[in-house]
Short mmCIF file of all heavy atoms in Angstrom, two decimals:
data_model
loop_
_atom_site.label_atom_id
_atom_site.label_comp_id
_atom_site.label_asym_id
_atom_site.label_seq_id
_atom_site.Cartn_x
_atom_site.Cartn_y
_atom_site.Cartn_z
N THR Q 1 0.82 -1.20 0.00
CA THR Q 1 -0.01 0.00 0.01
C THR Q 1 0.87 1.26 0.00
O THR Q 1 0.61 2.19 -0.77
CB THR Q 1 -0.94 0.00 1.22
OG1 THR Q 1 -1.76 -1.16 1.15
CG2 THR Q 1 -1.82 1.23 1.24
N TYR Q 2 1.89 1.28 0.85
CA TYR Q 2 2.77 2.45 0.89
C TYR Q 2 3.44 2.69 -0.44
O TYR Q 2 3.47 3.82 -0.94
CB TYR Q 2 3.83 2.25 1.99
CG TYR Q 2 4.85 3.34 1.98
CD1 TYR Q 2 4.60 4.59 2.52
CD2 TYR Q 2 6.11 3.13 1.39
CE1 TYR Q 2 5.54 5.62 2.49
CE2 TYR Q 2 7.04 4.14 1.34
CZ TYR Q 2 6.76 5.37 1.90
OH TYR Q 2 7.68 6.39 1.85
N LEU Q 3 3.99 1.62 -1.05
CA LEU Q 3 4.68 1.79 -2.31
C LEU Q 3 3.74 2.23 -3.42
O LEU Q 3 4.10 3.05 -4.28
CB LEU Q 3 5.40 0.49 -2.70
CG LEU Q 3 6.59 0.16 -1.81
CD1 LEU Q 3 7.10 -1.26 -2.11
CD2 LEU Q 3 7.70 1.16 -1.94
N GLU Q 4 2.53 1.71 -3.44
CA GLU Q 4 1.54 2.15 -4.42
C GLU Q 4 1.18 3.61 -4.23
O GLU Q 4 1.03 4.34 -5.23
CB GLU Q 4 0.30 1.26 -4.35
CG GLU Q 4 0.54 -0.12 -4.90
CD GLU Q 4 -0.61 -1.07 -4.67
OE1 GLU Q 4 -1.44 -0.85 -3.74
OE2 GLU Q 4 -0.70 -2.05 -5.43
N LEU Q 5 1.09 4.06 -3.00
CA LEU Q 5 0.82 5.48 -2.74
C LEU Q 5 1.97 6.36 -3.20
O LEU Q 5 1.79 7.55 -3.47
CB LEU Q 5 0.53 5.71 -1.25
CG LEU Q 5 -0.80 5.14 -0.76
CD1 LEU Q 5 -0.90 5.23 0.76
CD2 LEU Q 5 -1.97 5.85 -1.41
N GLU Q 6 3.18 5.80 -3.28
CA GLU Q 6 4.34 6.51 -3.78
C GLU Q 6 4.50 6.35 -5.30
O GLU Q 6 5.56 6.64 -5.87
CB GLU Q 6 5.61 6.02 -3.07
CG GLU Q 6 5.65 6.35 -1.60
CD GLU Q 6 5.77 7.83 -1.34
OE1 GLU Q 6 6.54 8.52 -2.05
OE2 GLU Q 6 5.10 8.34 -0.42
N ASN Q 7 3.45 5.82 -5.93
CA ASN Q 7 3.37 5.64 -7.38
C ASN Q 7 4.28 4.55 -7.95
O ASN Q 7 4.68 4.62 -9.11
CB ASN Q 7 3.60 6.96 -8.12
CG ASN Q 7 2.47 7.94 -7.88
OD1 ASN Q 7 1.31 7.55 -7.85
ND2 ASN Q 7 2.82 9.19 -7.62
N TYR Q 8 4.58 3.55 -7.13
CA TYR Q 8 5.29 2.37 -7.63
C TYR Q 8 4.26 1.36 -8.12
O TYR Q 8 3.20 1.22 -7.53
CB TYR Q 8 6.15 1.73 -6.54
CG TYR Q 8 7.40 2.49 -6.23
CD1 TYR Q 8 7.45 3.40 -5.18
CD2 TYR Q 8 8.56 2.28 -6.99
CE1 TYR Q 8 8.61 4.09 -4.90
CE2 TYR Q 8 9.72 2.99 -6.70
CZ TYR Q 8 9.74 3.88 -5.65
OH TYR Q 8 10.89 4.56 -5.37
N GLU Q 9 4.59 0.68 -9.19
CA GLU Q 9 3.75 -0.40 -9.69
C GLU Q 9 4.27 -1.69 -9.06
O GLU Q 9 5.44 -2.05 -9.20
CB GLU Q 9 3.82 -0.48 -11.21
CG GLU Q 9 2.94 -1.55 -11.77
CD GLU Q 9 3.01 -1.62 -13.29
OE1 GLU Q 9 3.69 -0.79 -13.91
OE2 GLU Q 9 2.40 -2.53 -13.85
N ILE Q 10 3.40 -2.41 -8.37
CA ILE Q 10 3.78 -3.64 -7.69
C ILE Q 10 3.27 -4.84 -8.48
O ILE Q 10 2.10 -4.91 -8.85
CB ILE Q 10 3.16 -3.68 -6.27
CG1 ILE Q 10 3.47 -2.41 -5.47
CG2 ILE Q 10 3.62 -4.94 -5.54
CD1 ILE Q 10 4.94 -2.12 -5.31
N LYS Q 11 4.17 -5.77 -8.75
CA LYS Q 11 3.80 -6.99 -9.47
C LYS Q 11 4.34 -8.19 -8.72
O LYS Q 11 5.41 -8.12 -8.11
CB LYS Q 11 4.39 -6.99 -10.87
CG LYS Q 11 3.87 -5.92 -11.78
CD LYS Q 11 4.52 -6.02 -13.14
CE LYS Q 11 4.08 -4.90 -14.07
NZ LYS Q 11 4.76 -5.00 -15.37
N THR Q 12 3.62 -9.29 -8.80
CA THR Q 12 4.10 -10.56 -8.27
C THR Q 12 4.94 -11.22 -9.34
O THR Q 12 4.62 -11.20 -10.51
CB THR Q 12 2.91 -11.45 -7.88
OG1 THR Q 12 2.12 -10.78 -6.90
CG2 THR Q 12 3.38 -12.78 -7.33
N LEU Q 13 6.05 -11.83 -8.92
CA LEU Q 13 6.97 -12.45 -9.85
C LEU Q 13 7.16 -13.92 -9.49
O LEU Q 13 7.51 -14.25 -8.38
CB LEU Q 13 8.34 -11.73 -9.79
CG LEU Q 13 9.45 -12.31 -10.64
CD1 LEU Q 13 9.08 -12.29 -12.12
CD2 LEU Q 13 10.73 -11.54 -10.38
N ASP Q 14 6.91 -14.78 -10.45
CA ASP Q 14 7.14 -16.22 -10.30
C ASP Q 14 8.42 -16.54 -11.08
O ASP Q 14 8.41 -16.65 -12.30
CB ASP Q 14 5.97 -17.01 -10.85
CG ASP Q 14 6.15 -18.52 -10.74
OD1 ASP Q 14 7.24 -18.98 -10.32
OD2 ASP Q 14 5.21 -19.25 -11.11
N LEU Q 15 9.54 -16.67 -10.36
CA LEU Q 15 10.82 -16.87 -11.02
C LEU Q 15 10.94 -18.22 -11.72
O LEU Q 15 11.71 -18.38 -12.65
CB LEU Q 15 11.96 -16.70 -10.02
CG LEU Q 15 12.28 -15.26 -9.67
CD1 LEU Q 15 13.32 -15.21 -8.55
CD2 LEU Q 15 12.79 -14.50 -10.87
N LEU Q 16 10.17 -19.20 -11.27
CA LEU Q 16 10.20 -20.50 -11.95
C LEU Q 16 9.64 -20.38 -13.35
O LEU Q 16 10.14 -21.00 -14.29
CB LEU Q 16 9.44 -21.55 -11.15
CG LEU Q 16 10.14 -22.08 -9.92
CD1 LEU Q 16 9.25 -23.08 -9.17
CD2 LEU Q 16 11.47 -22.72 -10.26
N SER Q 17 8.60 -19.57 -13.51
CA SER Q 17 7.98 -19.36 -14.84
C SER Q 17 8.79 -18.36 -15.66
O SER Q 17 9.05 -18.58 -16.82
CB SER Q 17 6.56 -18.89 -14.70
OG SER Q 17 5.78 -19.84 -14.04
N ALA Q 18 9.16 -17.25 -15.03
CA ALA Q 18 9.82 -16.17 -15.75
C ALA Q 18 11.28 -16.49 -16.07
O ALA Q 18 11.83 -15.97 -17.05
CB ALA Q 18 9.76 -14.88 -14.95
N GLN Q 19 11.94 -17.28 -15.24
CA GLN Q 19 13.35 -17.65 -15.39
C GLN Q 19 14.35 -16.56 -15.09
O GLN Q 19 15.53 -16.81 -15.02
CB GLN Q 19 13.62 -18.23 -16.81
CG GLN Q 19 12.79 -19.43 -17.17
CD GLN Q 19 13.30 -20.70 -16.51
OE1 GLN Q 19 14.48 -20.94 -16.50
NE2 GLN Q 19 12.39 -21.50 -15.98
N ASN Q 20 13.87 -15.31 -14.96
CA ASN Q 20 14.75 -14.22 -14.57
C ASN Q 20 13.93 -13.03 -14.08
O ASN Q 20 12.73 -12.96 -14.30
CB ASN Q 20 15.69 -13.80 -15.72
CG ASN Q 20 14.94 -13.36 -16.97
OD1 ASN Q 20 13.82 -12.89 -16.87
ND2 ASN Q 20 15.57 -13.50 -18.11
N VAL Q 21 14.61 -12.10 -13.46
CA VAL Q 21 13.97 -10.87 -13.01
C VAL Q 21 13.91 -9.93 -14.22
O VAL Q 21 14.91 -9.72 -14.89
CB VAL Q 21 14.77 -10.22 -11.83
CG1 VAL Q 21 14.13 -8.93 -11.41
CG2 VAL Q 21 14.89 -11.19 -10.67
N PRO Q 22 12.73 -9.38 -14.51
CA PRO Q 22 12.60 -8.49 -15.68
C PRO Q 22 13.56 -7.31 -15.62
O PRO Q 22 13.89 -6.80 -14.55
CB PRO Q 22 11.15 -8.01 -15.60
CG PRO Q 22 10.46 -9.01 -14.76
CD PRO Q 22 11.47 -9.55 -13.80
N ASP Q 23 14.01 -6.86 -16.78
CA ASP Q 23 14.97 -5.76 -16.88
C ASP Q 23 14.42 -4.45 -16.32
O ASP Q 23 15.17 -3.60 -15.84
CB ASP Q 23 15.39 -5.53 -18.31
CG ASP Q 23 16.29 -6.66 -18.83
OD1 ASP Q 23 16.94 -7.35 -18.00
OD2 ASP Q 23 16.35 -6.87 -20.06
N ASP Q 24 13.09 -4.28 -16.36
CA ASP Q 24 12.51 -3.03 -15.86
C ASP Q 24 12.19 -3.06 -14.38
O ASP Q 24 11.58 -2.12 -13.84
CB ASP Q 24 11.26 -2.66 -16.67
CG ASP Q 24 10.12 -3.67 -16.50
OD1 ASP Q 24 10.35 -4.77 -15.98
OD2 ASP Q 24 9.01 -3.35 -16.93
N CYS Q 25 12.62 -4.10 -13.68
CA CYS Q 25 12.38 -4.22 -12.23
C CYS Q 25 13.28 -3.23 -11.50
O CYS Q 25 14.49 -3.29 -11.58
CB CYS Q 25 12.66 -5.64 -11.76
SG CYS Q 25 12.39 -5.87 -9.99
N GLU Q 26 12.66 -2.29 -10.76
CA GLU Q 26 13.42 -1.30 -10.00
C GLU Q 26 13.80 -1.78 -8.61
O GLU Q 26 14.70 -1.25 -7.98
CB GLU Q 26 12.63 -0.01 -9.90
CG GLU Q 26 12.45 0.67 -11.24
CD GLU Q 26 11.73 2.01 -11.12
OE1 GLU Q 26 11.85 2.66 -10.06
OE2 GLU Q 26 11.04 2.37 -12.07
N GLY Q 27 13.10 -2.78 -8.12
CA GLY Q 27 13.41 -3.32 -6.80
C GLY Q 27 12.68 -4.64 -6.61
O GLY Q 27 11.52 -4.78 -6.98
N LEU Q 28 13.37 -5.57 -6.03
CA LEU Q 28 12.82 -6.90 -5.78
C LEU Q 28 12.62 -7.06 -4.28
O LEU Q 28 13.55 -6.87 -3.50
CB LEU Q 28 13.78 -7.96 -6.31
CG LEU Q 28 13.36 -9.42 -6.21
CD1 LEU Q 28 12.12 -9.69 -7.05
CD2 LEU Q 28 14.50 -10.31 -6.67
N ILE Q 29 11.40 -7.38 -3.87
CA ILE Q 29 11.09 -7.60 -2.46
C ILE Q 29 10.86 -9.08 -2.27
O ILE Q 29 10.02 -9.67 -2.92
CB ILE Q 29 9.86 -6.80 -2.02
CG1 ILE Q 29 10.08 -5.31 -2.22
CG2 ILE Q 29 9.53 -7.13 -0.55
CD1 ILE Q 29 8.85 -4.45 -1.95
N ILE Q 30 11.62 -9.66 -1.38
CA ILE Q 30 11.45 -11.07 -1.00
C ILE Q 30 10.99 -11.05 0.46
O ILE Q 30 11.73 -10.60 1.33
CB ILE Q 30 12.75 -11.86 -1.17
CG1 ILE Q 30 13.20 -11.79 -2.63
CG2 ILE Q 30 12.56 -13.30 -0.71
CD1 ILE Q 30 14.56 -12.39 -2.87
N ALA Q 31 9.78 -11.53 0.70
CA ALA Q 31 9.20 -11.43 2.03
C ALA Q 31 8.97 -12.81 2.63
O ALA Q 31 8.11 -13.56 2.15
CB ALA Q 31 7.90 -10.66 1.96
N SER Q 32 9.74 -13.13 3.63
CA SER Q 32 9.60 -14.36 4.41
C SER Q 32 9.32 -15.60 3.55
O SER Q 32 8.23 -16.17 3.60
CB SER Q 32 8.48 -14.20 5.45
OG SER Q 32 8.80 -13.20 6.36
N PRO Q 33 10.31 -16.01 2.76
CA PRO Q 33 10.10 -17.20 1.94
C PRO Q 33 9.73 -18.40 2.82
O PRO Q 33 10.29 -18.57 3.91
CB PRO Q 33 11.44 -17.42 1.24
CG PRO Q 33 12.36 -16.39 1.75
CD PRO Q 33 11.64 -15.47 2.65
N LYS Q 34 8.81 -19.21 2.33
CA LYS Q 34 8.34 -20.37 3.10
C LYS Q 34 9.15 -21.62 2.85
O LYS Q 34 9.09 -22.57 3.62
CB LYS Q 34 6.88 -20.64 2.74
CG LYS Q 34 5.95 -19.47 2.96
CD LYS Q 34 5.59 -19.31 4.40
CE LYS Q 34 4.54 -18.27 4.61
NZ LYS Q 34 5.00 -16.99 5.06
N LYS Q 35 9.91 -21.65 1.73
CA LYS Q 35 10.72 -22.82 1.41
C LYS Q 35 11.99 -22.36 0.70
O LYS Q 35 12.10 -21.20 0.30
CB LYS Q 35 9.95 -23.80 0.54
CG LYS Q 35 9.43 -23.23 -0.76
CD LYS Q 35 8.56 -24.20 -1.52
CE LYS Q 35 8.06 -23.52 -2.78
NZ LYS Q 35 7.23 -24.35 -3.58
N ASP Q 36 12.94 -23.25 0.61
CA ASP Q 36 14.21 -22.92 -0.04
C ASP Q 36 13.98 -22.59 -1.53
O ASP Q 36 13.06 -23.14 -2.16
CB ASP Q 36 15.18 -24.09 0.06
CG ASP Q 36 15.63 -24.34 1.49
OD1 ASP Q 36 15.51 -23.44 2.33
OD2 ASP Q 36 16.12 -25.46 1.75
N PHE Q 37 14.84 -21.74 -2.06
CA PHE Q 37 14.78 -21.41 -3.47
C PHE Q 37 15.34 -22.56 -4.31
O PHE Q 37 16.27 -23.23 -3.88
CB PHE Q 37 15.59 -20.14 -3.78
CG PHE Q 37 15.03 -18.90 -3.16
CD1 PHE Q 37 15.68 -18.25 -2.14
CD2 PHE Q 37 13.82 -18.38 -3.61
CE1 PHE Q 37 15.16 -17.11 -1.57
CE2 PHE Q 37 13.27 -17.25 -3.05
CZ PHE Q 37 13.96 -16.61 -2.02
#
C-alpha cells in the first residue's frame, strides 16, 4: 500500500516461470520465503 501510494507499480513475480527478473524491475522484495529457493 505504501509503495503504491508513492506511485510504484507492484507486481508478483514467479521466477520459476519467468526464469529471470525483468529488466525493468526497480526493486525486488522477498518477504519471508516459506521454502528454499
Side-chain angles (χ1 to χ4, degrees):
T1 301
Y2 173 78
L3 291 171
E4 287 172 338
L5 290 171
E6 293 293 318
N7 293 319
Y8 285 95
E9 181 180 357
I10 309 301
K11 296 180 182 178
T12 300
L13 176 61
D14 179 356
L15 284 173
L16 285 178
S17 298
Q19 301 283 316
N20 59 27
V21 178
D23 290 336
D24 65 347
C25 179
E26 293 183 30
L28 183 64
I29 300 173
I30 301 172
S32 297
K34 303 281 188 260
K35 58 185 178 179
D36 292 341
F37 294 111

